[in-house]
Amino acid sequence: MRQAGRYLPEFRETRAAQDFFATCRSPKLCCELTLQPLRRFPLDAAIIFSDILVVPQALGMEVVMVPGKGPTFTEPLKEVEDLLKLRQKVDVTAELGYVFQAITLTRHSLEGKVPLIGFSGAPWTLMSYMIEGGGSTTMAKAKSWLYRHPEASHRLLRLLANVIIDYLVGQVAAGAQALQLFESHAGHLGPELFQEFALPYIRDIAQGVKSKLKEEALPLVPMIIFAKDAHYALRDLARAGYEVVGLDWTIQPQEARAQIGKHVTLQGNLDPCALYAPKEKIGELVKKMLESFGTQRYIANLGHGLYPDMNPEHVGAFVEAVHAHSRHINKHS
């Protein structure tokens, strides 16, 4: 889901001198960090190095990376009135131009070897961070808004969706060749809240991005939706306007395919912690995963991100196993 990271010694070295969000604002550093995993592993695409919380920053909120704690909002949204502090009109080129510059620089540096993927967080996930002030195990503060202030919640979600549409279109204009939308906190909602406060905006973003790309005569790039722990919504996600549905590791491939149908590509879904296993075991797990998904309309991936203490050699074993077993299955099918 994210290729560059603390599991790579070269990433830690490049990042050591700079604050996290200062790194995100440096096109040159983002380009370098994006290319590092590709120098090590024969990956089939590059994912731009950035962060989902650059969107709340573009709305005027301050986010800092606190060592040992993670991203922290200095003044999270507490009351409905706090929405007035947010920028109601965001010029994405002025506020997020550094991401576009990083994409263009990286696209040139890749020299066509592999495609480049851009991304954004989805509205509910961003809203939950903006209210919680950081990570949370329950999302209770953010969910309380959905129950106590439904109208204000929709106002905030709509504002976020509008910015995200412009942001993703800007990424394509800058050179991104596919787009991924992360609804990382979908699992905290459950079916009813998801239907009301997440799905409509996920749909609107796909529709809005595609219609603006057409208007601006930009390539209609494939779009991926990843809603973590949203098994209850797979059928809806399959019809939400995305070419690819990403899966976490807690669902059986056959079950996902039955719900999603044959016309949408699936992405996933090895448990990231499987990379702690010995290399031979990783190979066995990959083989089983590929046999379950098949090699068509399928992108082999982990079911979530890589963790900082993972061994790069085991990541390499995963990538190699995917290529080896895919070739074998395709040759004999």
Side-chain angles (χ1 to χ4, degrees):
M1 297 289 170
R2 182 201 277 260
Q3 294 169 345
R6 287 171 291 174
Y7 73 100
L8 291 175
E10 58 268 40
F11 176 93
R12 295 196 296 271
E13 206 177 298
T14 308
R15 277 268 303 104
Q18 285 250 41
D19 160 74
F20 178 81
F21 285 108
T23 305
C24 289
R25 285 189 285 274
S26 161
K28 197 176 165 193
L29 284 175
C30 288
C31 175
E32 168 57 23
L33 292 170
T34 302
L35 297 175
Q36 283 176 354
L38 289 138
R39 292 188 193 121
R40 244 185 210 264
F41 314 117
L43 295 157
D44 298 318
I47 302 171
I48 195 67
F49 177 79
S50 185
D51 194 87
I52 64 170
L53 298 180
V54 298
V55 170
Q57 287 177 332
L59 288 166
M61 295 189 82
E62 189 185 11
V63 192
V64 292
M65 195 59 80
V66 177
K69 188 185 172 194
T72 305
F73 285 72
T74 50
E75 288 183 39
L77 304 174
K78 290 196 169 77
E79 304 300 330
V80 170
E81 295 71 51
D82 293 341
L83 294 181
L84 299 172
K85 296 176 189 171
L86 301 175
R87 286 190 187 103
Q88 300 304 305
K89 283 267 183 270
V90 175
D91 176 346
V92 291
T93 307
E95 299 300 330
L96 296 164
Y98 58 87
V99 179
F100 304 154
Q101 288 165 29
I103 287 172
T104 303
L105 184 59
T106 307
R107 177 79 192 270
H108 285 300
S109 304
L110 285 167
E111 298 175 320
K113 288 189 193 81
V114 293
L116 179 60
I117 302 174
F119 68 89
S120 172
W124 155 249
T125 295
L126 296 179
M127 171 183 170
S128 61
Y129 273 114
M130 291 159 76
I131 293 169
E132 296 289 342
S136 159
T137 51
T138 61
M139 300 293 157
K141 289 178 192 167
K143 284 178 74 176
S144 81
W145 270 56
L146 305 181
Y147 286 109
R148 288 166 48 229
H149 312 302
E151 284 176 17
S153 296
H154 279 299
R155 278 210 313 278
L156 175 53
L157 291 162
R158 170 58 52 211
L159 174 63
L160 284 162
N162 291 342
V163 175
I164 291 162
I165 289 168
D166 289 344
Y167 180 43
L168 290 174
V169 170
Q171 290 187 41
V172 176
Q177 292 155 290
L179 298 170
Q180 182 151 247
L181 189 70
F182 286 98
E183 190 69 282
S184 309
H185 297 165
H188 291 278
L189 292 177
E192 285 179 18
L193 289 179
F194 188 84
Q195 285 284 343
E196 188 179 348
F197 294 103
L199 187 63
Y201 301 99
I202 288 170
R203 279 191 190 123
D204 287 355
I205 288 167
Q207 208 177 345
V209 167
K210 286 173 181 184
S211 83
K212 282 203 170 186
L213 290 175
K214 273 185 192 157
E215 273 169 38
E216 297 180 26
L218 288 165
L220 281 175
V221 303
M223 294 180 72
I224 307 164
I225 176 67
F226 176 68
K228 190 171 179 292
D229 298 318
H231 308 163
Y232 54 79
L234 286 180
R235 280 190 174 85
D236 290 319
L237 290 168
R239 292 191 282 268
Y242 293 78
E243 284 68 35
V244 184
V245 173
L247 304 170
D248 62 58
W249 67 94
T250 61
I251 187 158
Q252 294 282 8
Q254 297 89 334
E255 171 62 21
R257 182 53 83 195
Q259 289 196 47
I260 282 170
K262 293 174 184 171
H263 303 296
V264 175
T265 296
L266 297 178
Q267 173 176 270
N269 74 335
L270 192 73
D271 179 357
C273 289
L275 297 191
Y276 293 123
K279 289 182 190 176
E280 304 72 48
K281 179 70 176 168
I282 293 170
E284 288 167 28
L285 292 167
V286 166
K287 180 174 185 278
K288 188 182 168 202
M289 176 174 83
L290 292 180
E291 286 168 352
S292 300
F293 279 106
T295 60
Q296 304 307 303
R297 290 207 176 275
Y298 172 56
I299 300 166
N301 207 329
L302 300 176
H304 205 223
L306 291 157
Y307 305 140
D309 62 347
M310 285 177 165
N311 182 340
E313 287 184 17
H314 288 222
V315 179
F318 168 76
V319 176
E320 281 164 31
V322 167
H323 287 148
H325 291 299
S326 298
R327 279 195 292 270
H328 181 79
I329 291 169
N330 288 334
K331 196 175 169 185
H332 293 90
S333 63

